[in-house]
Each structure stands twice: as C-alpha cells, then as structure tokens.
Amino acid sequence: MAGLEENGSEPTAPRADPQGDPFLRTRFALPTRPGTFLRRERLVRHLDHALRTPLTMVNGAAGAGKTLLVADWAAGQDRSVAWLTTDAADQGCGTFWAYLLQALRACDVPLPAEVGFPADANRVDHTLLARLAADLSVRDRPVVVVLDEYDRVTDPEIADQLEFVLHHAGRGMRLIFVTRTEPLLPLHRYRAAGDMTEIRDAELAFTPEEAAALLELHGLRLSVHAARGLVERTRGWAAGLRLCALAAQERPDPETYLKEFEADRSTVADFLLAEVLKRQPPQTQDLLLRVSVLERFCPELANALTDRSDAEAILAGLHRENAFVEHLGHAWYRLHPLFGEILRAHLRVRLPGLEPELHRRAAQWLRRSGSLAETLGHGAAAGDWEFTAGALVDDLAIGQLFTGLRSDDLAELFSRMGPEATSPATELVRAARDLSRGDLDRGLTHLRHAEQSLAGERMPTGDDSAGLAAARLSCALLEALAARLTGSPGRAEAAAEAAGKLQEEVSSHLLDEHPELTALLLTHLGSARLWAGCFKDARAALTTVAACSGGASTALPREESLGHLALIDYLNGWLGRAERKALAALGETERFSLPQASGSGIGLLVLAAVAVDRNELGEAQALLDAAADTHRAMRDPVREAGRAIATARLLLARGNPHAAIEAAGPAVAADVVSPWAEGHTALVASAAHLAEGRPEAAAELLQAVPDDQPACAVGAARAQLAAGNPGAAIDLLDRLHPKGRIGPGVTVRASLVRAQAADAAGNSATSRRLVAQALQEARRERLRRPFLEAGPWIRPLLGTAPLRGLAAGWLAPGPPPHGGPRPVDQPPAPVVEELSGREREVLQRLAEMMSTEEIAADLYVSVNTVKTHLKSVYRKLAVNRRHDAVRRARELRLL
C-alpha cells in the first residue's frame, strides 16, 4: 500500500500514488513559457479577479493559449499556486485526489496528518474531503489551485467531490479550471451569485494590436492594419498565429506569406487535423468534412448532407468541446475559418468529386427553407446555373441586381455562368446583368430571347404557374428599365400595365418580401413619363415610390424617385422644394451606407442647377463632379439632359457662352423627343446668344418652343425685349397662365423682364415696384442669377433706399461693421457666393458648440458629408477655424 489510509497519522508525505506508482513531478510544474510568449495585460487583469471569486474557468479551444496564460499569471503571483495537469489515464477518484493533495504539498501548503491519503485508486473517503475543506476554510490567505486540461476528467463523481470541497472551504480556496469544455459543476449557481470568473474563446482571441506585437517577438514586422487581416482569418487563434509566425520566418517574403498562406499546406493544418479532427469518431469526422462546404449550418442541413439523422447531438457536443464549431444561436453553427479551409482541402483528398454534390444538396435544402442568398451561392458552386438563375427569378429577386445592396455580389456570382445554360431564367439574369452595367444592346438581346421562350409556354398550375408568372413579371421590370434607358414612354406604360396584371398572379408574400421590384418598376415608369413631359403622371408614380417602406431594399429607388421629383420642382421654378427633395434623395443612400456611385446622381445634378441659380458656382462644379462618378448604367435620357443643362448653365454663369452652347447642344439619344429637354436646351442657347449680343438669334431659337413651358416663354420675352420688341415681350408674358404651379425660378425672371421694359419706357415707379416684388420672391429662395443676368439697368435701382434693404445680406452685403454709413454713390455689389441651405444648418450647429459627429447625427448625414460642408463654409467665409467661422458669420448677420 503506497501511503496511509485517510485516518492515518503518519505526517510524512507519500512518495507514490495509491497504485504504488511514483508521482510524476512534471504534472505539478508550471508549464514553461517560450521566449516568444506575449504577456497580455488585459487577460492578466481579468485573471486577477480569480482571487476574489471561489471559481474561475478559462475555457477555450485547443491552442487558444489557455495554459500559457494561466501559467504566466501564476508565476507572477506573490503566493504559491498549486498546479496540477490532469491525466486521462488516471480517472479514478483516489488517484485524482492523491495527485491534488500532492500538488498542494508541492507548493508548500502544509496539510495536517489527519487529512489522510487515499488508499484506493478508485475511491476516496468522504472524511478526507471534509477534513481537507475544514483545514482550508481556516487559512488566512486562500489557496489557489489550478487544474489544467480538466476536460480530460470525465468522472462526474470527481466533479461532485470538488464542488463539495470548494463550497465548504469557503474563502480558503480559489479553484481555477483550464479546460476545453465546461466542467460538470453547478456553474449556474456560481454565475448567479457572482462567484465565478470566466475567460472564454472570444476573450482569449488576439486583437490586431496583440497579433502585431506577437509577430514582432518572432522577428516579423507587420502593421496593425495588415495584422487585422490575419486576425480575421484566424479569429485571433493563438496557436494559429504562432504557427503562422514560425512558418513565415522561413519564407523569403514573410509579409506576403502571412497574407496569402495556404492553410491546408501548413503546420496549422497539421495541428488542427491531429488535435481536433482525428480525435473524433469516424461519423463525426465525416460530418465535419461534409459541412465544411457551408458558411453556416443547422442539424437538419447537416443531416441532408450526410444522409443521417444524428447531427444535432454531434454538433452540440462539438461546440461543448470547443472543437472549432461555433454556435450562432437558434440551432445554427459555423466552423472556425481556418478549420473550414483545412477541412475542405481534406475533403477533396479523402472524398474526391463529392464537393459539387454537397453544394447541390445544400442549395436544394436552402431553397426549400427560404434562404435565397445561400441558395444562390451553393447553386453556383455546384455549377447548376439553370437551378441558380431559376431560384433568383422564382423568388422575384431579380431587382436585387439594381438596388446597390447585393448588386456587385450577384453580378460577380453570375459572371461565372457559361453560355451552355439556356433557360428563360438564365437569359433573364443575363439581361439584368447587362442592363445593370449599361450594356443596352446585349441586355435587350437577352431580354428578347427570354420573352420569346416565355411567350411559347402555357400557364401551368401549382408551383410551376407561380414560377412562370414570376419570370414574366421579371421580364416586365426589365422591359420598363429598357424603355426608360431608351427614352420610350409608350413601351414603359405597356410594361407597367403588363406588370400590374402579372402581380395578381404571383404570391403576395413574395411581393411583400421584395418591395424593390414594385419600387423599381414605378421609378422606371416615372422617369419615362418625366422624359415625355407628363409631369403630373410622373409625379404620381414617383411619389408612390418616395413614400414606400422597405428599408435598405428600396433605398435606391427612393433616392432616384426623390431626385426626379426634385427635377420636376426645379423645372417648375421651385428651388427650395427641389433642394429639399434632392438632399432627401442623397440622405437615402447615406442612411443605409450605400455607395454613392450606385445611384443615378439625379439629385446631385438638381443641387448643382440650384447652386448655379444661387450663384454658388464653386459648389455647383463640385456637385457636377460628384455626379460624374455615379452609376453609369442609370444614365438615362432624363439624367443626361439634366447634366447637359446644369453644365451649360454653369458655363454661362462663368462667362463662357460658346462653351455653354456646346455643352447643351449634343442631342440625347432617345426614341422620343422630350419637350422640356428640348425647350431648356434652346433656353440656354438663347441666353448664350444674348450674352454675346445677338438678341435676334436668341429670340429665333425660342420661337418654336410650345407655350406650355413658362420658363422658355419668359426667356423668349427677355430675348424679344433685348431685340427691341417690348410689346412682343409683354404679350408673351401676358399669355402665361401659371395657376400656382410656377415658382420663383420663373416668376422672378418674368417680373424682371417687365421691370426692364417699364424702366426703358421711363416708368421708374413701376420698375421699382416690380424689382421689389422680384427681390421679395427671390430672397426666400436665395435666387441671384436673374439679377446678375439682368444687365446694367438694374444696378442703380438696387442702390436706392427702398430696394437696398431687400437686397442686403443675401444679394448684396449687409450694413458696414459698427453701423458706419455706406457711401451713397456706391450701389451695393451682389454677393458672389452665399452659403447653401445645408451649409447654414451646419454653421448654426457649429455656433451651438456641437462636434462634427453630433452635427452628423443631428442632420442624419455622414461625418464625411459634414466635413465637406465645413470646408466649403470656411472657403466662403475666408477663414480656417471653427471659431473664426462663427465670428465671421455673425459679422455678416448669417446667424
């Protein structure tokens, strides 16, 4: 017998365990930390909390750095720590407690003789446990016991005995488990009482900063930014980082290796295959290899890939064992990224040719469960393009190629589709892909092929019926887009009518799931109607989209619809309304972090045109430049005409009439001529001729423009007046019947033409009254260009007492500082460039001492947008700092 019974009285420590084998001293020794070990203070501080709670659990996967972390912490303590590395070979209670008692003695914790010693390797007397707990409970300082690799202890009786001693030792014992699995203790009670410290995988994971520091210890210099990619790939797994560092040391270009290493051909693969995969039974290994083709999986999906029904228990066990299977909640799991890479490579070697079949099974299961994005990914990976395209079309999700959310991902996915796939669905996807990137000819060719195939099919029943209706509805959407891009309002109306009938034949559930389809359809219809000059009908369709819900899925159609509505307001002369709608349009893409380039940019063009009318020429140019970077595929006739007109107006305002005519001159390619585009192009050209002193040519350009375009009629009246025909000019103005739909952008110019005619006739009172009326209307909109374009006759009038006050502060500078008088012989010069409405809002919040982030949150815009506005404010106020901007704004009475 190796030692005394529990009630023996021999005080000397035994030299062997109950089986008579000598104690292995390595099991009591702190593991040696390598020279490249990185001490992480955040974890050390967390472990310090272990001294305040009875129980601590450091629970992580193999290679997570658990043991070295605790060993390093223990070595830094000012007290002895009893360390025991458990062994799977001696699961008997007696042997376990013999080793634990010896661990206490090895760290100089004196145990009285009455505690005793286990005599039987498979059992321990309760008296020994009670005496040990009683002795520990009266100690001045608690004894710290670390049980490393505790996941090897599988006997629940040992767990019960440990819990008994821990509970009755009270403040005299601190127990630390280092384990891959949760011990069989009543952990819920310790958690609820706040008597437990936990460090798990997520906390054990290295941060990018820690990874960079670890690599530096291995002689490798990697920026934190570059280390972040490595951390994302390894999920901060300690062993993975160390093994990568060791392998990189042997490469000629370590940094490139760390970025691009092949996981399946590395020491990382060897570690995971040996420590994780090969420790599992054959059925578990088979399951892990098969689910490695999935980004995430649940038991039912895993069963579909294995043709078994035991996945639920296996996955739960793997997660519990920290076997690199992460639980995502709601019965869904995923593999650690590196583990997944290695398993996929191992799958190709062990079961060659199986991978496409696994993807096909996954795609079919996921399609039934309603997960479209994953269905498409696995269908593409299986190379089954007819299935994949059919899933997209049947789900009414073809509009996602145009929403900016998944457009690039879907385009990339279907770019791998070869010409051998020839179903109607594949042709529809090709048509959508080509139209989404502006290839109109190829897109229309594929669309015609799809329509011809679908036209010959009779409407079946059941699911096939729904699929055919969905395909035809997708055709109608693409037909409406093609009509918009080609400027064909009649085709757009026909497509919308067909879509309306088809929507009655598809599931309302699908329509609700994909609100982007209806929103896109109405946006295309509204744009085509706008091109045709049917503003009322266009507004009806576009307003429906602008008011729709749907969150991010309809953000892009809302952005485009609001931009088109803004253009209608601008063309009708309502600058303020146009600006608000255009800003709201930009806010839609900002709110959902959509790339600016995904939208049509029509809102930016409207803001540029408004800025020109306000004589904010620098801002107008910046907005035009920004609009040039937007979605090329959505450069339809409306957008191109708007861009040409805004650019021409800016060039005209900068005194370059010849360039303005050239900018407005090129005809926009369209099946139907747009009355407003043609009229405003002629209006710009007419203004350019006036600027160059050719009033007759200016008047002739606008003679053919219909009378139902008030802006053009006012331009024609101005040209007639300049040509010496005041009667004809007044007659043109008298024929206008605005009926409340014409805004100051038109009426101010009309008033100034009348004022100029009255001034030329010597009727100065009428002229001043009309100028005053124009100033009052223009002030609300900060409309300056009409006064700058009016000519020299207006400057003396603006300097007179009745009108000076109406112009001060927005058209002309305010009163001089300190109230000094302004020289009577110097009429006020118009302000060159004033703050925009949004810049005023930013400036107001700047005066309220709000930070850039607070301003962004308050205005529902991005921080970068606020910074852009601030730069413009500083430039316009000729300052460099916030304080100076506020002071200068107050001097100019802008606040």
Side-chain angles (χ1 to χ4, degrees), residues 518-838:
T518 301
L520 287 166
L521 183 69
L522 289 176
T523 301
H524 303 331
L525 177 63
S527 179
R529 287 174 173 175
L530 195 162
W531 177 250
C534 303
F535 288 178
K536 182 179 178 181
D537 291 339
R539 193 188 296 274
L542 296 168
T543 300
T544 301
V545 179
C548 77
S549 59
S553 66
T554 56
L556 201 58
R558 289 200 302 272
E559 180 263 337
E560 289 199 275
S561 293
L562 285 166
H564 283 74
L565 289 169
L567 179 60
I568 293 173
D569 282 336
Y570 176 78
L571 294 173
N572 285 334
W574 297 101
L575 271 66
R577 295 180 188 175
E579 180 186 44
R580 287 191 291 274
K581 287 187 176 70
L583 288 172
L586 299 183
E588 287 296 327
T589 53
E590 285 186 349
R591 186 152 58 105
F592 295 101
S593 300
L594 294 177
Q596 181 175 296
S598 61
S600 66
I602 191 72
L604 291 168
L605 294 174
V606 171
L607 289 174
V610 169
V612 171
D613 271 354
R614 291 175 175 167
N615 206 44
E616 299 165 353
L617 305 186
E619 182 165 351
Q621 184 63 65
L623 290 163
L624 284 172
D625 292 342
D629 296 330
T630 52
H631 200 342
R632 294 182 180 275
M634 291 298 106
R635 295 187 179 182
D636 59 6
V638 170
R639 185 207 183 275
E640 290 304 287
R643 180 196 58 77
I645 292 168
T647 302
R649 287 186 183 278
L650 176 58
L651 291 168
L652 193 59
R654 285 179 164 170
N656 197 341
H658 180 69
I661 293 174
E662 288 187 347
V668 176
D671 293 347
V672 173
V673 174
S674 171
W676 63 265
E678 190 177 43
H680 279 264
T681 298
L683 184 60
V684 171
S686 173
H689 283 304
L690 279 180
E692 292 185 325
R694 296 190 296 272
E696 292 80 6
E700 185 178 351
L701 276 171
L702 291 171
Q703 282 181 352
V705 177
D707 293 340
D708 62 350
Q709 295 194 53
C712 295
V714 173
R718 182 180 171 220
Q720 289 290 349
L721 183 60
N725 303 315
I730 298 303
D731 184 55
L732 282 168
L733 296 177
D734 287 344
R735 293 206 301 267
L736 288 176
H737 300 289
K739 296 182 181 179
R741 68 184 182 90
I742 300 176
V746 177
T747 57
V748 166
R749 289 181 167 90
S751 295
L752 291 179
V753 172
R754 291 183 185 275
Q756 185 178 359
D759 183 76
N763 191 345
S764 58
T766 299
S767 181
R768 281 195 299 273
R769 177 179 58 79
L770 289 167
V771 172
Q773 177 183 324
L775 285 168
Q776 288 173 334
E777 283 194 85
R779 183 171 188 162
R780 291 192 298 270
E781 304 277 5
R782 304 194 307 284
L783 180 61
R784 301 185 186 87
R785 285 307 308 170
F787 299 93
L788 298 175
E789 296 166 351
W793 67 271
I794 200 172
R795 292 185 66 81
L797 286 175
L798 292 176
T800 60
L803 301 179
R804 187 184 303 139
L806 291 173
W810 69 276
L811 181 62
H818 313 298
R822 183 187 303 280
V824 178
D825 58 345
Q826 294 183 12
V831 170
V832 175
E833 198 169 355
E834 198 194 3
L835 301 181
S836 68
R838 185 48 63 97

Side-chain angles (χ1 to χ4, degrees), residues 207 359 406 447-448 534 568 618 649 688 741-742 744 850 890:
T207 66
H359 281 296
R406 301 191 59 235
L447 181 57
R448 297 294 167 257
C534 303
I568 293 173
R649 287 186 183 278
R741 68 184 182 90
I742 300 176
M850 293 175 67
R890 285 180 175 143

Side-chain angles (χ1 to χ4, degrees), residues 842-850 855 882 886 890 895:
V842 170
L843 183 61
Q844 182 65 47
R845 286 157 177 79
L846 207 63
E848 296 171 5
M849 303 297 290
M850 293 175 67
I855 295 173
R882 291 177 167 225
V886 173
R890 285 180 175 143
L895 291 172

